[in-house]
Amino acid sequence: MPYKTTIDGTVYRFVDLRDLLAKATPERSGDQLAGIAADGPVERLAAQTVLADLPLKTFVAEELIPAETDEVSRLIMERHDPDAFSIVSSLTVGEFREWLLKPETSQRQLEAVAPGLTPEMVAAVSKIMRLQDLISVASKREVVTRFRSTIGLKGRLSTRNQPNHPTDDSYGIAASAIDGLLMGSGDAVIGVNPATDTVDDYIRIVSLLDELRARLSIPMQTCCLGHVTTAMRAIAAKAPVDLVFQSIAGSQKANEGFGVSLSLLKEAHEAVRGLGRGAIHANLMYFETGQGAALSADANFAVDQQTMEARAYAVAREFNPLLVNTVVGFIGPEYLFNGKQIIRAGLEDHFCGKLLGLPMGVDVCYTNHADADQEDMDALLTLLCAANVNFVITVPGADDVMLNYQSLSHHDAVYCREILKRPPAPEFERWLFDIGLTDGEGRLLEAPQRLLDDMTGARLLGG
């Protein structure tokens, strides 16, 4: 069905729901690359006007990607809860925005409505929201997950300590991980992106990280971010796998490009549960997403990249993960051209994930050929803290020497704790104090003597 409106005598028509959503999206280079973006601000305004008046029920009745050929669409349809949706089913997209922003719409209401929301609904409402709106609503939504640490409690900020190394050298990984720990980073996970994806290297890396965790009695999780099939072979060998990681996207075709399916992810989830390393209800999966992933795989089906990103969250929430993060600026300027687009996308992704009930984090990052810099990342980090983001990723000096992109530094985590008053997970906060890294106010101390004593003679550091 066509959608249209008139502005100053000019009629703007949008041929279907996909076209309307794409043209209502705030400017970004990926949609321009795909040839589906609005021609300019006036057509974008026209699309947003039409979208605001669109009943939410439209997204239940009209598919963007046919369920007959796409298992992500089938999953969205099968998991939609009509009873939960009834809370907002009479609203338009614009009225839904107003409902979300009402002071009386609290954590309890947002949690109750989440099973009734589809990714397309939350993507649609985000398109007519200012940054302030995205922050205001997301800050009300608490999504808490647990393994050895409790992540997502309101007013706290967890971190992923990312000790990547260009050759996966054990000494280099361990030294980098400890560098992050000395700055108080790692309560969400110490997670390594391996330079290679072999079972032997995977087992070596998770064994090294687990030894570090056990030796220092750190209340956190570890992860090697190899492919899910590599993780499953390591699990079969009884390797110390805490979390199974996988990159995911918003269509079956895009996920096939990653070498995964819903059935494979289910098998991996059951396998890691069988190791029994966490409590019976522990969250055991870790997913990464990113705007532009489906388009880069020619698997977006003319759907805008932000809506495709939200569809990936339907895959993630099927497995009750411990962590989900969007690597917001990692894919490059072809998809998010500059700092303004990266900041907007990061807040959109966090908002959409939280509304759908996910424990959202953000890799606040950019590539060196994007029109962005570390000041843009400072701005996005600060805004995300205001929005109650679950976790961010930190690396030494904000420079990932293996993946060759710019992220946050461990020092940025200190800024969040000490200036923005965002302490880490409570178990990790106590460990930092007990080990002598922080004082009673959570401030870093200069000489963590107990930690140094515990590391003396550690075999993994070369004795």
Side-chain angles (χ1 to χ4, degrees):
M1 111 180 233
Y3 303 94
K4 66 179 182 178
T5 191
T6 302
I7 297 179
D8 287 341
T10 300
V11 178
Y12 293 89
R13 292 182 174 86
F14 310 97
V15 296
D16 56 22
L17 187 56
R18 287 185 301 184
D19 186 41
L20 177 64
L21 287 169
K23 289 185 167 56
T25 305
E27 183 180 13
R28 63 206 56 201
S29 52
D31 293 336
Q32 292 166 341
L33 176 66
I36 59 176
D39 288 338
V42 179
E43 186 180 29
R44 184 174 303 112
L45 175 62
Q48 290 172 341
T49 300
V50 175
L51 184 60
D53 290 334
L54 193 69
L56 285 178
K57 290 179 180 178
T58 306
F59 297 97
V60 180
E62 187 172 343
E63 294 180 328
L64 298 186
I65 303 174
E68 292 81 4
T69 57
D70 186 88
E71 67 175 3
V72 177
S73 293
R74 289 196 296 275
L75 178 68
I76 292 169
M77 180 177 64
E78 291 166 1
R79 294 294 182 262
H80 180 250
D81 184 336
D83 291 336
F85 181 53
S86 67
I87 300 170
V88 295
S89 61
S90 65
L91 305 181
T92 65
V93 173
E95 290 167 342
F96 183 42
R97 171 187 173 273
E98 293 173 3
W99 181 84
L100 290 169
L101 288 167
K102 286 181 178 179
E104 57 266 32
T105 301
S106 65
Q107 161 70 14
R108 185 175 62 82
Q109 283 83 19
L110 293 174
E111 189 172 9
V113 79
L117 300 178
T118 68
E120 293 84 357
M121 291 177 196
V122 300
V125 73
S126 75
K127 297 175 191 299
I128 61 169
M129 299 178 89
R130 295 170 53 190
L131 297 189
Q132 184 181 119
D133 298 339
L134 298 172
I135 293 166
S136 297
V137 175
S139 67
K140 296 192 284 187
R141 184 64 165 105
E142 183 182 67
V143 181
V144 179
T145 54
R146 295 175 174 87
F147 195 132
R148 297 187 187 94
S149 56
T150 303
I151 302 165
L153 292 170
K154 194 165 186 179
R156 292 181 178 268
L157 175 71
S158 293
T159 48
R160 171 183 159 193
N161 180 339
Q162 183 169 290
N164 292 345
H165 190 275
T167 63
D168 289 339
D169 177 74
S170 293
Y171 185 93
I173 290 171
S176 181
I178 290 170
D179 177 54
L181 288 170
L182 287 168
M183 300 294 289
S185 177
D187 58 319
V189 66
I190 296 184
V192 173
N193 295 89
T196 58
D197 195 24
T198 67
V199 177
D200 287 345
D201 277 345
Y202 187 104
I203 293 175
R204 174 176 57 84
I205 290 169
V206 295
S207 298
L208 183 152
L209 295 177
D210 191 58
E211 183 182 350
L212 174 63
R213 178 196 63 79
R215 181 180 293 274
L216 300 177
S217 301
I218 313 172
M220 53 80 174
Q221 304 66 239
T222 65
C223 184
C224 179
L225 282 71
H227 193 267
V228 63
T229 53
T230 306
M232 292 168 67
R233 290 194 290 270
I235 290 169
K238 304 301 181 184
V241 178
D242 283 347
L243 304 177
V244 168
F245 167 85
Q246 184 56 48
S247 295
I248 55 173
S251 71
Q252 179 177 332
K253 182 179 178 181
N255 283 323
E256 287 171 350
F258 285 135
V260 298
S261 64
L262 294 177
S263 61
L264 181 63
L265 292 174
K266 181 179 179 181
E267 185 180 352
H269 191 205
E270 292 172 351
V272 71
R273 179 76 65 193
L275 284 178
R277 290 179 60 80
I280 189 169
H281 298 300
N283 306 95
L284 301 174
M285 301 293 280
Y286 177 13
F287 295 113
E288 277 191 347
T289 65
Q291 288 196 29
L295 175 59
S296 68
D298 190 27
N300 65 312
F301 302 95
V303 178
D304 68 273
Q305 68 180 38
Q306 190 254 333
T307 301
M308 289 302 297
E309 169 73 6
R311 283 171 55 90
Y313 302 156
V315 177
R317 71 174 174 178
E318 180 71 3
F319 300 97
N320 198 22
L322 180 78
L323 306 169
V324 180
N325 73 261
T326 168
V327 283
V328 63
F330 179 74
I331 301 181
E334 300 86 354
Y335 306 97
L336 294 168
F337 180 74
N338 56 23
K340 182 176 181 179
Q341 292 186 15
I342 292 171
I343 290 169
R344 170 84 196 186
L347 292 169
E348 286 171 347
D349 295 350
H350 176 254
F351 165 88
C352 290
K354 280 291 183 66
L355 273 195
L356 291 169
L358 286 177
M360 283 302 296
V362 177
D363 188 356
V364 178
C365 63
Y366 64 100
T367 58
N368 285 308
H369 61 309
D371 183 15
D373 58 29
Q374 216 63 34
E375 291 195 348
D376 294 315
M377 302 305 102
D378 287 347
L380 178 53
L381 172 61
T382 304
L383 293 171
L384 284 166
C385 285
N388 195 36
V389 69
N390 278 34
F391 72 101
V392 295
I393 294 175
T394 64
V395 302
D399 185 8
D400 191 301
V401 295
M402 194 279 283
L403 292 174
N404 195 29
Y405 78 117
Q406 306 305 123
S407 186
L408 297 175
S409 73
H410 303 315
H411 297 75
D412 294 322
V414 177
Y415 156 72
C416 294
R417 286 197 304 271
E418 298 187 358
I419 305 302
L420 302 181
K421 306 304 179 186
R422 290 291 188 273
E427 302 90 347
F428 193 78
E429 183 181 27
R430 287 192 294 271
W431 179 81
L432 291 174
F433 176 75
D434 292 343
I435 208 75
L437 268 169
T438 59
D439 63 16
E441 301 297 320
R443 293 184 294 262
L444 282 178
L445 298 173
E446 292 186 5
Q449 192 57 49
R450 182 182 163 191
L451 180 61
L452 296 174
D453 291 343
D454 286 351
M455 291 192 303
T456 300
R459 178 176 59 80
L460 63 85
L461 292 180

